[in-house]
């Protein structure tokens, strides 16, 4: 959460929290930025969700184009079969930015760590676990294919406390603020 807050604009902003779960992250974001208007979507909506939330099929967001100022995908893209599909939808409904906080793995050890931690944290919850952890190069390709361009990125986020962080963080967390493609205006339309 500490890495996401600096990327949020000040003032009244609408935010879609994709994979919102219980809404706990959104609740913490609201404490830091009380002018946010947050809605959530998830494939399973917990009965006591802390924010207004809808369910969706995991592919198509139930909102029109440019419905939100920004879209947040926090620690959820690795739970999808295709992060690119989810990011294309995020770009479609975002007017200004898509913010992604997730994990990056560059070798078999980091993949083993993240797979184990993901399984421990999600077993029995009904959360899909395809363990779709990507390398830096793969993330850049996914962003490009979703037609998103990076404006700001922070790598090597510390997630765990020391000494655990020395063993398992290994710079496997990042947050990036991405700009969706701007709508094309034909010469016959007024700007």
């Amino acid at each position: 959460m500490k890495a996401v807050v600096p990327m949020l604009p000040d003032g009244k902003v609408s935010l879609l929290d994709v994979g919102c779960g219980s809404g706990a992250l959104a609740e913490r974001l609201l404490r830091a930025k009380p002018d946010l208007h947050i809605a959530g979507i998830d494939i399973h909506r917990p009965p006591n969700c802390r924010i207004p939330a809808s369910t969706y099929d995991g592919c198509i967001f139930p909102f029109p184009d440019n419905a939100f100022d920004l879209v947040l995908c926090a620690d959820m893209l690795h739970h999808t079969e295709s992060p690119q599909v989810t990011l294309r939808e995020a770009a479609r409904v975002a007017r200004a930015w898509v913010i992604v906080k997730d994990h990056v793995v560059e070798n078999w050890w980091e993949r083993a760590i993240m797979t184990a931690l993901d399984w421990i944290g999600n077993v029995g919850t009904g959360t899909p676990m395809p363990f779709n952890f990507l390398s830096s190069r793969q993330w850049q390709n996914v962003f490009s294919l979703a037609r998103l361009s990076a404006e700001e990125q922070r790598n090597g986020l510390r997630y765990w406390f020391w000494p655990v962080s020395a063993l398992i963080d290994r710079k496997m967390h990042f947050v990036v603020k991405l700009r969706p493609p701007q709508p094309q205006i034909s010469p016959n339309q007024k700007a």
Side-chain angles (χ1 to χ4, degrees):
M1 204 254 331
K2 290 179 187 176
V4 172
V5 169
M7 293 194 177
L8 299 176
D10 292 325
K12 295 184 187 241
V13 176
S14 60
L15 181 148
L16 176 63
D17 182 2
V18 181
C20 66
S22 68
L25 173 62
E27 191 175 66
R28 291 192 333 244
L29 292 174
L30 281 168
R31 281 197 294 269
K33 298 276 190 173
D35 285 340
L36 286 174
H37 173 73
I38 301 179
I41 57 171
D42 209 319
I43 58 169
H44 304 290
R45 185 180 179 274
N48 297 322
C49 190
R50 300 169 187 169
I51 60 171
S54 311
T55 57
Y56 80 116
D57 63 5
C59 293
I60 306 299
F61 295 2
F63 302 104
D65 295 358
N66 303 309
F68 297 89
D69 294 313
L70 62 101
V71 175
L72 175 65
C73 298
D75 292 327
M76 57 75 57
L77 288 170
H78 62 273
H79 291 289
T80 67
E81 290 296 330
S82 176
Q84 179 184 331
V85 168
T86 302
L87 286 172
R88 278 192 180 161
E89 276 298 282
R92 180 183 66 78
V93 303
R95 282 189 289 273
W97 298 287
V98 174
I99 297 175
V100 172
K101 187 318 191 164
D102 218 297
H103 313 288
V104 61
V105 298
E106 301 294 355
N107 57 51
W108 69 269
W109 173 246
E110 292 172 352
R111 181 169 301 284
I113 289 169
M114 290 312 307
T115 298
L117 290 174
D118 199 40
W119 186 84
I120 290 166
N122 292 294
V123 69
T125 66
T127 300
M129 290 188 284
F131 307 116
N132 202 355
F133 299 108
L134 305 179
S135 69
S136 297
R137 178 178 283 157
Q138 290 169 317
W139 277 117
Q140 293 310 313
N141 188 47
V142 166
F143 297 152
S144 177
L145 290 171
R147 298 180 50 220
L148 292 163
S149 55
E151 288 207 351
E152 182 180 348
Q153 185 162 341
R154 297 176 74 199
N155 298 313
L157 307 174
R158 290 295 175 200
Y159 198 75
W160 297 93
F161 56 89
W162 191 88
V164 176
S165 65
L167 296 172
I168 63 175
D169 259 351
R170 303 171 60 93
K171 301 181 180 180
M172 293 185 289
H173 306 274
F174 73 94
V175 63
V176 62
K177 186 178 191 178
L178 302 154
R179 174 77 66 186
Q182 299 301 313
Q184 299 297 315
I185 299 174
S186 73
N188 298 334
Q189 291 176 311
K190 292 182 181 177

